Amino acid sequence: MSDTKTDLTHEQFITTAIDAINTEISALALLTEQIDDRFAQACDVILACQGRVVVTGMGKSGLIGRKIAATFASTGTPAFFMHPGEAGHGDLGMLVKGDVLLAISNSGESDEIKMLLPVVKRLNIPLISISRDKRGMLPRAADIVLTLGHSQEACPLNLAPTSSTTATLALGDALAVALVHARNFTSEDFALSHPAGALGRQLLTRVEDLMHTKSEDLPLIHQQAPLQQALFTMSAGRLGMTVVTDDNEKVVGVFTDGDLRRVLEKGIDLQTPMNEVMVSNPRHISKTMRASDALSVMNENGISQLLIIDNEDRLEAVITVHDLLQAGVK
């Protein structure tokens, strides 16, 4: 590598970057011209797959292949990446009947993939190739040939895979997106493969996972009890509220810290019965509601607690905004 370097101004760096991006945009535009019935056939084969989509590719194609396999796996299409070099030394056992092989080689002449093809054919595994055109060894052997078109690399030497890898990634994303539509894949399905992240918490966590139940001695008070008694009930319950019930233990109202501040500001007597100061018909939700939806209800109504009431109008549980925020629900 030469030790000489060219000093570029900031403006020249910016111009170079824009030129590179525009070159890759042109490659994507060229890719759209390659999307035809072959793409639809590839989708059909993957949808019919009883096993996994095994993605393989060498070098930069392999790095893109890993991303494509990960996107498939997280959007309802079981998939994994198989390194073609390691496959030739035992890892090809990962590939079994019922799988589909998606092989990536821009030139279509990868020696590492070429060694695998006799076994792929012997196992009668459908082979989908991705290459720049149909002329290489790989597309000639494939059952379905997906092409990128001859695009110029963004690399000024037209050598380093840049535009071609961008187009390959976009083609993989296009396959995954088409399959999402075909499978009627939902946000809940997506969350099942992302339980550890914020998105998983957002979509999977239900009110019943966080709510306070009867086993925790929920704060309850009779509607004829004095306001003074409500102070002790609220303090002991530590939920910032107390639920008001009738003679049959049915919920008739709620009284919160905010309500307490308002009545004290008005100088209301502490012997006033709760049915005169409570908020009637309190908002309640289902315990199966998403926790994120419960937070939205609280935000929209300017409240910090929600009740979960059973079919007989009796209190089943309480959930607070603190519970939701503490669990990372947004």
Side-chain angles (χ1 to χ4, degrees):
M1 183 176 67
S2 173
D3 291 331
T4 62
K5 61 181 181 180
T6 302
D7 292 325
L8 297 181
T9 65
H10 284 191
E11 289 75 13
Q12 288 172 315
F13 276 126
I14 292 170
T15 298
T16 300
I18 293 173
D19 287 345
I21 292 170
N22 283 331
T23 300
E24 299 206 4
I25 290 173
S26 297
L28 293 178
L30 179 61
L31 175 62
T32 63
E33 299 174 7
Q34 307 292 314
I35 304 299
D36 52 26
D37 195 54
R38 295 170 296 158
F39 180 88
Q41 290 172 5
C43 291
D44 287 337
V45 168
I46 295 174
L47 280 172
C49 176
Q50 298 298 308
R52 295 80 38 87
V53 175
V54 181
V55 184
T56 193
M58 196 67 190
K60 305 298 187 297
S61 294
L63 295 174
I64 296 299
R66 291 180 187 275
K67 164 58 170 64
I68 292 174
T71 301
F72 278 156
S74 68
T75 54
T77 298
F80 66 87
F81 177 80
M82 178 182 70
H83 191 288
E86 298 295 333
H89 294 277
D91 281 3
L92 193 56
M94 297 176 178
L95 194 65
V96 299
K97 288 184 178 180
D99 291 344
V100 170
L101 182 63
L102 176 61
I104 305 169
S105 170
N106 187 47
S107 67
E109 296 290 350
S110 168
D111 290 334
E112 292 81 3
I113 295 178
K114 182 178 182 180
M115 289 191 301
L116 310 180
L117 295 183
V119 178
V120 172
K121 291 301 181 182
R122 184 172 180 177
L123 292 175
N124 198 30
I125 290 173
L127 172 61
I128 302 171
S129 68
I130 296 179
S131 56
R132 68 186 173 212
D133 57 37
K134 300 179 181 181
R135 294 183 296 179
M137 164 276 304
L138 176 60
R140 288 198 301 269
D143 299 294
I144 299 172
V145 179
L146 301 180
T147 52
L148 307 171
H150 280 267
S151 60
Q152 179 180 348
E153 300 289 4
C155 163
L157 302 176
N158 198 32
L159 294 175
T162 45
S163 300
S164 58
T165 48
T166 297
T168 303
L169 181 58
L171 181 56
D173 285 344
L175 284 168
V177 169
L179 295 167
V180 165
H181 285 290
R183 297 183 192 279
N184 292 318
F185 193 77
T186 66
S187 56
E188 286 80 5
D189 295 325
F190 187 85
L192 289 174
S193 57
H194 298 76
L199 181 62
R201 290 194 298 273
Q202 178 92 356
L203 296 174
L204 290 179
T205 306
R206 304 286 169 173
V207 168
E208 61 189 336
D209 299 322
L210 305 173
M211 66 187 189
H212 301 271
T213 62
K214 291 181 179 178
S215 64
E216 301 177 46
D217 294 325
L218 297 175
L220 295 170
I221 191 169
H222 190 272
Q223 61 182 347
Q224 292 300 325
L227 174 58
Q228 183 178 27
Q229 184 178 334
L231 302 183
F232 296 107
T233 304
M234 292 170 65
S235 177
R238 297 182 179 181
L239 295 179
M241 50 83 72
T242 184
V243 179
V244 185
T245 60
D246 62 13
D247 294 335
N248 298 314
E249 296 186 346
K250 293 186 176 182
V251 175
V252 294
V254 68
F255 189 75
T256 68
D257 285 341
D259 299 323
L260 175 60
R261 287 192 295 272
R262 284 187 286 273
V263 298
L264 291 178
E265 289 172 357
K266 293 179 181 179
I268 294 178
D269 191 279
L270 291 179
Q271 297 305 311
T272 303
M274 291 305 299
N275 60 0
E276 294 185 19
V277 293
M278 70 182 186
V279 175
S280 302
N281 302 315
R283 289 193 174 274
H284 59 277
I285 57 173
S286 166
K287 64 183 178 182
T288 59
M289 176 185 279
R290 282 183 186 172
S292 57
D293 292 336
L295 182 60
S296 295
V297 172
M298 291 184 190
N299 290 335
E300 290 168 4
N301 292 277
I303 57 179
S304 300
Q305 304 90 359
L306 284 168
L307 309 185
I308 295 87
I309 299 174
D310 64 22
N311 293 332
E312 297 180 347
D313 294 329
R314 291 188 172 88
L315 182 66
E316 183 175 356
V318 174
I319 190 165
T320 71
V321 67
H322 179 71
D323 300 325
L324 297 170
L325 297 179
Q326 190 174 44
V329 176
K330 298 179 180 180

